[in-house]
Amino acid sequence: MEAPYGSWPSPISGEVVARDPGWPYSGLVADHGALYWIEARSHEDGRDVVVADGVDAIPAGASARTRVHEYGGGAYTVHAGTVYFCDDADQRVYATRDGVPVPLTPAPPHKHGVRYADLQVTPDGRTLICVRERDGDPEHINDLVAFPTDGSAPPVVLAEGHDFYSSPRISPDGSRLAWLVWDHPRMPWEGTELHVAELKEGLSLFKKRLVAGGADEAIVQPAWSPDGVLHYSSDRTGWWNLYRESGTVVTALEAEVGGPLWVFGESYYDFLDDGRIVLTYFSAGADHLAVVERDGTLRDIALDCTRIVDLTADGRRALFVGASPTRSLRVYALDVDDGGLETLSPDADELVPEPYVSVPRALEFPTTGGKTAHAIFYPPHHPEYEGPPDERPPLVVRIHGGPTAHVSSILRPEIQFFTSRGIAVVDVNYGGSTGYGREYRDRLRGTWGIVDTDDAVNCARHLAQSGEVDGARMTITGGSAGGWTVLCALTQYPDVFACGADYYGVAELTAFVDDTHKFESRYFDYLIGPFDEAAWTERSPLTHADKIRVPVIVLQGDEDKVVPPAQSEVIVAALERNGIDHEYIVFSGEQHGFRKADSLRRAAEAELAFYGRVLGFDVHR
């Protein structure tokens, strides 16, 4: 059936988008034959629930979420069947005893004033070691602490003096501790240091020494093999690869066995009982699973998953969260020898019916300076509708946050929400994105707002020039750092996009750096350069807001501490002064990234309605 692009009726409604928590499963932990994970529940006010083999392992109302670095991660661990978790309500650490949460850390002096993350329990079960973050002036104080798992004493400091700590990992015999540190102005993907020390009774360290890393080497995921050998991933060759403590190379790929340390607890490899290592690496726009055999050779395992995260093992099987372009995220167990794949998470019906799925393709396109950039393109698709032969579809250019991050080709209802209505979508892995090596990642060093903007514009132009989309009906959308790129594109290239959607984006740098949290307070040294008021003001989209000529919709959470509401308010005020058509929607109770079902629904419906009004197509909800 023929109908104008953008107007096709679709079963993928705003309600469907709201039922998709974005990343429903994370944080896999294997313990005594049971597998635990975090389940994100947008329909329960965005609660994060620890489940054991699919059964809730924390009480109703509790939410296992930490606010350390604001992005969190590593909010729980399990030892001998006891779940230890940070409750989002007060950020204290609790232990579940007979199904009842018992607090182990003192009540903070004020709400969320002390936070904990990256929880680890010593092998004897007596001590818990973790990262602690406390409110301070002029900035928060981060350190490593330890405290007894029976809650009988307050935390004691194991390591302090650096700006940031991460990844405390205890050797199998409990005698040693490894951890990561870094200091301002570095971000962890610029350079970290891996330290190790002897651990005495779980409560003190001695004989501390540096193992690897530095200002120009980013270390991620230290981990101990069952026989007590420390491993880690380093980007010293320009690609994150796996090494032993001695410096021995385990993998030598032009691919990424690792990623940016935005959240705590991410895992890219683990050990099998027989000495082999199972790992995941990112290459050519997709994740791959492989095994390092006992002779050191790397054996790829064929899977149709294009995204593999939170990889762990139970001694003989690989356990991970995986997804593909046609199947949403699931928790899987894989026998690495016979290839047997078992789904462990609930086998719920797909939110996107298979006939409506737009299958993406990896895209390379020319960009500024004769370079090549990357994207993932989703053409419009509907089993019953097609567009008129003389019409090309509208295009939504999606810009990921971070900006040190990347997107993969997985099934996302928020994308299919548009493609099933006849709107093309392209996810841009602009220069600065991870997954393509350090050189590609460092393209954004000092050029944020330039390289990312050029790549977004050149991607859109490439698709228009190739006849895939209507060059007169292109829009750009993004959140956080992606919102910054949206605003930069609308000010620097005012004639390319017909409108834009800014989700909690950065608009003005000098005010932002005073308002944002500690973790990213010096990020701009990398992205822009050391503080220079004139240079930062010139780079800020707000300075050039008078060049915006097209309608803009702005969406913002009122509790966002990463990009505070003031950033959206100043750009909205500028649009108002300049007489630019705009909409501004504030979401109550939302932080950085929307989590509540009603917010997700409202945001999707508002963005679609805005595009329909501006681009001239009838919207079918």
Side-chain angles (χ1 to χ4, degrees):
M1 190 179 304
E2 185 177 295
Y5 288 109
S7 67
W8 304 345
S10 171
I12 308 166
S13 63
E15 295 288 349
V16 171
V17 174
R19 292 203 302 273
D20 174 36
W23 208 259
Y25 307 113
S26 63
L28 275 59
V29 174
D31 177 77
H32 288 72
L35 181 64
Y36 297 75
W37 63 79
I38 291 277
E39 185 173 296
R41 296 180 181 170
S42 60
H43 60 286
E44 295 183 22
D45 261 356
R47 192 165 74 100
D48 287 342
V49 182
V50 180
V51 300
D53 294 327
V55 178
D56 288 10
I58 61 174
S63 180
R65 186 182 180 206
T66 171
R67 302 192 183 202
V68 176
H69 294 180
E70 296 300 329
Y71 295 107
Y76 87 104
T77 192
V78 185
H79 184 274
T82 298
V83 176
Y84 302 88
F85 71 99
C86 305
D87 192 356
D88 186 47
D90 58 12
Q91 292 295 289
R92 299 171 75 183
V93 177
Y94 289 79
T96 55
R97 307 206 190 283
D98 299 322
V100 177
V102 177
L104 304 183
T105 56
H110 55 272
K111 186 177 182 180
H112 301 157
V114 182
R115 303 163 289 279
Y116 304 89
D118 228 344
L119 311 184
Q120 303 287 311
V121 176
T122 54
D124 62 11
R126 297 171 58 187
T127 305
L128 192 149
I129 297 174
C130 64
V131 175
R132 180 178 66 176
E133 183 175 78
R134 293 172 289 158
D135 284 357
D137 187 17
E139 64 180 8
H140 300 333
I141 302 165
N142 294 67
D143 47 27
L144 289 183
V145 297
F147 51 87
T149 54
D150 62 4
S152 59
V156 297
V157 175
L158 290 179
E160 61 184 338
H162 288 281
D163 290 320
F164 299 99
Y165 291 83
S166 174
S167 311
R169 297 296 180 262
I170 308 161
S171 64
D173 64 2
S175 68
R176 288 170 292 170
L177 180 73
W179 69 95
L180 297 176
V181 301
W182 68 99
D183 293 299
H184 288 317
R186 281 179 284 154
M187 298 300 290
W189 43 86
E190 291 181 75
T192 55
E193 295 177 357
L194 171 60
H195 293 261
V196 69
E198 303 297 317
L199 181 61
K200 184 177 181 180
E201 298 180 353
L203 294 172
S204 62
L205 300 176
F206 62 100
K207 295 183 180 179
K208 300 178 186 179
R209 58 188 173 84
L210 175 67
V211 173
D216 300 311
E217 180 183 1
I219 307 291
V220 294
Q221 198 195 340
W224 300 90
S225 65
D227 58 352
V229 177
L230 181 61
H231 291 63
Y232 59 91
S233 181
S234 166
D235 71 347
R236 63 183 58 154
T237 65
W239 301 87
W240 270 303
N241 271 283
L242 192 58
Y243 297 83
R244 296 186 181 91
E245 180 178 355
S246 62
T248 304
V249 178
V250 178
T251 63
L253 301 168
E254 287 195 355
E256 304 279 35
V257 186
L261 208 164
W262 278 105
V263 300
F264 297 99
E266 290 193 310
S267 178
Y268 304 91
Y269 66 95
D270 204 359
F271 305 94
L272 303 175
D273 284 343
D274 59 9
R276 293 180 294 172
I277 301 173
V278 60
L279 61 84
T280 179
Y281 66 90
F282 185 85
S283 178
D287 286 316
H288 307 263
L289 195 70
V291 173
V292 180
E293 300 287 5
R294 285 183 289 273
D295 63 1
T297 59
L298 189 72
R299 174 173 62 89
D300 282 297
I301 298 176
L303 289 174
D304 63 358
C305 292
T306 52
R307 189 72 173 123
I308 299 169
V309 298
D310 292 324
L311 176 63
T312 188
D314 62 3
R316 63 182 182 84
R317 299 180 301 171
L319 309 166
F320 58 91
V321 178
S324 79
T326 58
R327 191 175 59 253
S328 59
L329 274 80
R330 299 284 191 276
V331 179
Y332 292 108
L334 174 74
D335 188 308
V336 300
D337 291 313
D338 66 20
L341 187 67
E342 180 183 0
T343 303
L344 303 180
S345 53
D347 193 17
D349 293 336
E350 289 285 5
L351 293 174
V352 180
E354 186 173 356
Y356 291 85
V357 173
S358 171
V359 177
R361 72 173 191 268
L363 178 70
E364 293 186 352
F365 58 91
T367 191
T368 304
K371 296 181 178 180
T372 298
H374 304 271
I376 299 167
F377 179 62
Y378 297 78
H381 173 76
H382 195 292
E384 299 174 4
Y385 284 85
E386 61 182 7
D390 59 348
E391 184 182 343
R392 293 291 177 266
L395 172 69
V396 175
V397 177
R398 284 169 52 101
I399 308 299
H400 67 70
T404 309
H406 73 263
V407 289
S408 301
S409 55
I410 62 174
L411 183 60
R412 297 295 300 271
E414 65 190 65
I415 291 177
Q416 307 293 329
F417 177 76
F418 291 103
T419 57
S420 61
R421 289 172 165 77
I423 303 168
V425 175
V426 65
D427 246 343
V428 184
N429 276 325
Y430 47 83
S433 300
T434 52
Y436 303 92
R438 181 145 188 164
E439 182 279 328
Y440 194 81
R441 193 164 82 237
D442 278 345
R443 287 187 188 181
L444 212 58
R445 185 185 292 272
T447 62
W448 190 40
I450 300 172
V451 165
D452 50 318
T453 303
D454 285 356
D455 287 355
V457 168
N458 287 328
C459 182
R461 286 173 168 168
H462 173 78
L463 289 168
Q465 291 166 1
S466 63
E468 302 251 23
V469 302
D470 183 350
R473 293 192 295 166
M474 301 191 298
T475 184
I476 184 168
T477 183
S480 189
W484 154 277
T485 307
V486 168
L487 297 175
C488 287
L490 297 181
T491 57
Q492 295 174 32
Y493 295 92
D495 299 322
V496 171
F497 298 104
C499 58
D502 165 26
Y503 283 76
Y504 38 88
V506 178
E508 202 283 314
L509 295 176
T510 56
F512 174 79
V513 78
D514 291 331
D515 293 339
T516 194
H517 57 146
K518 177 184 177 182
F519 179 66
E520 291 183 273
S521 64
R522 298 294 299 276
Y523 195 9
F524 292 157
D525 287 46
Y526 174 87
L527 294 172
I528 308 292
F531 179 73
D532 180 307
E533 185 171 1
W536 284 28
T537 300
E538 175 60 26
R539 190 76 65 89
S540 297
L542 181 64
T543 303
H544 308 285
D546 60 331
K547 296 180 181 177
I548 298 178
R549 303 172 185 167
V550 297
V552 183
I553 183 171
V554 180
L555 306 97
Q556 174 74 46
D558 69 348
E559 295 182 6
D560 194 336
K561 293 185 179 180
V562 177
V563 181
Q567 288 287 312
S568 289
E569 291 165 1
V570 293
I571 201 68
V572 168
L575 295 171
E576 182 74 29
R577 285 194 305 270
N578 296 332
I580 300 299
D581 180 5
H582 65 280
E583 299 177 19
Y584 183 39
I585 306 175
V586 177
F587 294 83
S588 177
E590 290 288 6
Q591 299 160 37
H592 196 62
F594 303 156
R595 300 171 64 85
K596 299 178 181 180
D598 184 61
S599 302
L600 296 169
R601 175 191 60 78
R602 288 173 55 209
E605 292 176 352
E607 188 176 352
L608 176 64
F610 178 74
Y611 293 159
R613 177 172 69 82
V614 175
L615 302 181
F617 55 79
D618 294 328
V619 172
H620 288 268
R621 292 288 179 91

